[in-house]
Amino acid sequence: EAGVAQSPRYKIIEKRQSVAFWCNPISGHATLYWYQQILGQGPKLLIQFQNNGVVDDSQLPKDRFSAERLKGVDSTLKIQPAKLEDSAVYLCASRGEARGNEQFFGPGTRLTVL
Amino acid sequence: SQQGEEDPQALSIQEGENATMNCSYKTSINNLQWYRQNSGRGLVHLILIRSNEREKHSGRLRVTLDTSKKSSSLLITASRAADTASYFCATNSGGSNYKLTFGKGTLLTVNP
């Protein structure tokens, strides 16, 4: 099966600019996650969708981050405006019921904010 | 917040040796999972152990879980250079949303 797709793979922006990331989960996976991974740390969950509804966004900095999954398939994560501390890899993952708790991760988008 | 804490932060061994990584966590869990991350393949699920299990094997991997001590260990036997990666434990505390909380990881370097 095709894996989780993300784009772009790399993005460099200046602080206060806006940026958007795109994720296409594995076909049929109802649950989609966005994680932020700062260099030297483990992934931190930002937001979780079940189909097109938000299940958990408790760690999403809502003053500057937003995410949507309008049709329950693809998802976009936006940062507006970006800060230096947003430099990180943004990972998208999806999970299907058939494989239990296993999450499948995309390659990530490496964001550098200058 | 990060629940798991891996130990050691970094580990360097020779090919053929065994590598042991430990993970401690703070709250009760439904299951604990180990993931591997390297630049070539991203973050990949290795193995899951449920809270009522004490040990699990998968190929060269052996995972143990001690819920009384809130700790887990991952053993990689007969290591290979291709095992060089960061290894993360991730805990799931149950509930319908299958949320994972990752630790900071152990960087394993296997020297040929």
Side-chain angles (χ1 to χ4, degrees), chain A residues 10-30:
Chain A
Y10 306 91
K11 189 74 177 179
I12 301 174
I13 62 173
E14 294 189 351
K15 60 182 179 183
R16 290 189 289 273
Q17 285 187 324
S18 302
V19 65
F21 312 126
W22 173 82
C23 172
N24 181 238
I26 292 173
S27 178
H29 281 194

Side-chain angles (χ1 to χ4, degrees), chain A residues 33 37 42 48 59 95 101, chain B residues 1 31 35 37 97-98 103:
Chain A
Y33 308 81
Q37 186 176 20
Q48 176 184 347
Q59 298 193 86
R95 186 181 64 83
N101 290 356
Chain B
S1 62
N31 64 68
Y35 284 78
Q37 185 177 43
N97 60 354
Y98 297 113

Side-chain angles (χ1 to χ4, degrees), chain B residues 19-40:
Chain B
T20 299
M21 289 159 272
N22 303 297
C23 168
S24 60
Y25 57 92
K26 298 174 183 172
T27 63
S28 62
I29 61 171
N30 183 48
N31 64 68
L32 185 145
Q33 304 175 33
W34 285 90
Y35 284 78
R36 179 181 64 210
Q37 185 177 43
N38 58 32
S39 57

Side-chain angles (χ1 to χ4, degrees), chain A residues 33 35 37 40-45 48 55-56 58-59 91 95 97 101-103 105, chain B residues 1-2 30-31 33 35 37 43 45 48 50 88 92 96-100 102-104:
Chain A
Y33 308 81
Y35 290 86
Q37 186 176 20
Q41 298 185 19
K44 183 186 84 171
L45 180 68
Q48 176 184 347
V55 174
D56 186 340
S58 56
Q59 298 193 86
L91 297 165
R95 186 181 64 83
E97 295 303 319
N101 290 356
E102 180 179 354
Q103 294 184 19
F105 284 80
Chain B
S1 62
Q2 298 192 291
N30 183 48
N31 64 68
Q33 304 175 33
Y35 284 78
Q37 185 177 43
L43 200 63
H45 179 268
L48 179 154
R50 303 190 189 286
F88 296 91
N92 170 250
S96 59
N97 60 354
Y98 297 113
K99 175 180 175 179
L100 289 180
F102 285 81
K104 293 184 178 181

Side-chain angles (χ1 to χ4, degrees), chain A residues 12-80:
Chain A
I12 301 174
I13 62 173
E14 294 189 351
K15 60 182 179 183
R16 290 189 289 273
Q17 285 187 324
S18 302
V19 65
F21 312 126
W22 173 82
C23 172
N24 181 238
I26 292 173
S27 178
H29 281 194
T31 311
L32 185 147
Y33 308 81
W34 282 102
Y35 290 86
Q36 179 193 58
Q37 186 176 20
I38 293 173
L39 185 65
Q41 298 185 19
K44 183 186 84 171
L45 180 68
L46 292 176
I47 189 167
Q48 176 184 347
F49 292 94
Q50 181 75 17
N51 295 308
N52 60 349
V54 175
V55 174
D56 186 340
D57 63 357
S58 56
Q59 298 193 86
L60 186 74
K62 299 180 187 62
D63 58 333
R64 298 184 301 105
F65 287 65
S66 65
E68 60 183 12
R69 194 185 184 199
L70 292 176
K71 297 182 179 178
V73 181
D74 293 5
S75 177
T76 56
L77 175 70
K78 297 179 182 178
I79 308 175
Q80 181 180 9

Side-chain angles (χ1 to χ4, degrees), chain B residues 33-91:
Chain B
Q33 304 175 33
W34 285 90
Y35 284 78
R36 179 181 64 210
Q37 185 177 43
N38 58 32
S39 57
R41 292 197 59 196
L43 200 63
V44 175
H45 179 268
L46 295 176
I47 194 166
L48 179 154
I49 187 166
R50 303 190 189 286
S51 60
N52 60 354
E53 297 175 313
R54 292 297 167 256
E55 187 171 313
K56 204 161 183 181
H57 297 255
S58 176
R60 294 184 295 113
L61 304 180
R62 173 178 166 247
V63 170
T64 61
L65 179 65
D66 187 335
T67 53
S68 66
K69 295 181 179 179
K70 291 187 169 59
S71 68
S72 173
S73 67
L74 171 68
L75 169 67
I76 304 174
T77 60
S79 63
R80 306 166 182 168
D83 295 328
T84 294
S86 290
Y87 291 81
F88 296 91
C89 68
T91 54

